Amino acid sequence: RWLDVVSPSCVRCSTFTSGYGKTVYGGSVLASDAFIAEHCDVDVGTGRARLAGPFKGEWAGEMRYFSPREVANLHGLDSGWRLPSRELTRRQLWFTVGNSISVDV
């Protein structure tokens, strides 16, 4: 099982699925370029970074999931589009913006 790791300088990330935040297959996590250089294997052709080994508990503060707002931004929704954050949990927001929006390509 491999976790897809991206940094702010990356130009790609995995899709966001209903498993986001729940499984390693649900989408990308965000980390610093330094973390990726030290702990990940990077495919030169695709730029995809994967943890070089099993996840270690001490890395918990080094990586994070994208916020629902960041996922919405990646899907091309402008900042004027409001998430129903008072009515839905974080998981429900990820599910909403990850699974039910067609992305312009």
Side-chain angles (χ1 to χ4, degrees):
R1 296 184 177 166
W2 294 87
L3 191 61
D4 184 58
V5 184
V6 298
S7 73
S9 65
C10 289
V11 295
R12 53 134 309 271
C13 68
S14 291
T15 58
F16 297 94
T17 70
S18 61
Y20 192 63
K22 197 156 104 176
T23 77
V24 296
Y25 303 112
S28 300
V29 294
L30 191 60
S32 68
D33 287 317
F35 179 87
I36 290 174
E38 186 174 345
H39 301 291
C40 295
D41 293 325
V42 180
D43 182 300
V44 179
T46 64
R48 174 169 275 168
R50 304 281 188 180
L51 284 179
F55 178 80
K56 296 180 182 172
E58 65 263 22
W59 295 344
E62 302 284 336
M63 296 180 284
R64 70 173 178 83
Y65 288 104
F66 283 85
S67 72
R69 176 77 257 167
E70 289 169 324
V71 175
N73 291 348
L74 288 169
H75 283 297
L77 297 168
D78 65 33
S79 60
W81 188 80
R82 297 286 173 222
L83 295 165
S85 55
R86 290 193 174 124
E87 295 83 19
L88 301 176
T89 66
R90 188 174 185 91
R91 179 161 306 289
Q92 289 170 324
L93 289 168
W94 278 329
F95 185 85
T96 301
V97 297
N99 282 316
S100 60
I101 295 175
S102 297
V103 181
D104 291 334
V105 289

